[in-house]
């Protein structure tokens, strides 16, 4: 049932059979009842100010040219914003990040001395004196 129209009675309208078949198939495409489909169609024509007898060719061309003009205007605005806002901001951010990268490197770096081998190495002599590894004070001969 159609919401809001449950209590209204049905009235017949005389329509040719071929037109009725076409209308019923259109109702099925929309998924509405015949009454609601006819109501939606009437409201569309009333609100848009379009007459079903008129051809839409001239209006469609006018509408298309208006849409193209608006799209071109939007593109121009975006390009202008890119030139005046986006690119300068991007270049400033790059400069800031490059400057920050330079500031992070310290001016003076402490050099760590390299481990050099000792200049003098004690040579082991041929005498039989040995130290006990557990007790270095104890020497055996």
């Amino acid at each position: 049932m159609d919401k809001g129209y449950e209590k209204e009675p049905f009235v017949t309208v005389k329509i040719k059979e071929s037109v009725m078949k076409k209308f019923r198939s259109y109702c099925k495409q929309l998924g509405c009842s015949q009454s609601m489909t006819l109501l939606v169609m009437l409201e569309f024509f009333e609100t848009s100010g379009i007459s079903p007898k008129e051809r839409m060719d001239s209006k469609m061309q006018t509408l298309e040219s208006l849409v193209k003009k608006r799209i071109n205007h939007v593109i121009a605005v975006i390009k202008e914003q890119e030139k005046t806002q986006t690119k300068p901001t991007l270049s400033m951010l790059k400069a800031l990040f490059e400057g920050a990268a330079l500031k992070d490197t310290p001016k003076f770096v402490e050099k760590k001395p390299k481990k050099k081998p000792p200049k003098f190495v004690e040579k082991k002599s041929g005498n039989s004196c040995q130290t006990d590894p557990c007790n270095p004070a104890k020497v055996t001969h």
Side-chain angles (χ1 to χ4, degrees), residues 38-80:
L38 191 56
L39 180 65
V40 169
M41 290 169 66
L42 288 171
E43 287 176 352
F44 170 76
F45 287 125
E46 288 174 352
T47 56
S48 63
I50 299 172
S51 171
K53 291 182 178 180
E54 289 180 16
R55 296 304 280 167
M56 292 290 294
D57 296 339
S58 63
K59 287 189 178 186
M60 290 301 283
Q61 289 173 350
T62 307
L63 184 63
E64 184 180 354
S65 66
L66 287 173
V67 169
K68 283 183 179 179
K69 284 181 185 178
R70 294 305 300 162
I71 288 173
N72 289 337
H73 180 70
V74 168
I75 290 171
V77 167
I78 290 172
K79 284 182 179 179
E80 184 66 26

Side-chain angles (χ1 to χ4, degrees), residues 64-110:
E64 184 180 354
S65 66
L66 287 173
V67 169
K68 283 183 179 179
K69 284 181 185 178
R70 294 305 300 162
I71 288 173
N72 289 337
H73 180 70
V74 168
I75 290 171
V77 167
I78 290 172
K79 284 182 179 179
E80 184 66 26
Q81 283 180 345
E82 192 175 83
K83 284 183 206 172
T84 59
Q85 296 173 2
T86 308
K87 286 184 179 178
T89 305
L90 180 64
S91 63
M92 285 190 277
L93 285 172
K94 281 184 179 178
L96 281 173
F97 283 121
E98 287 172 0
L102 293 176
K103 288 181 182 179
D104 287 345
T105 57
K107 290 182 181 179
F108 301 104
V109 179
E110 178 183 352

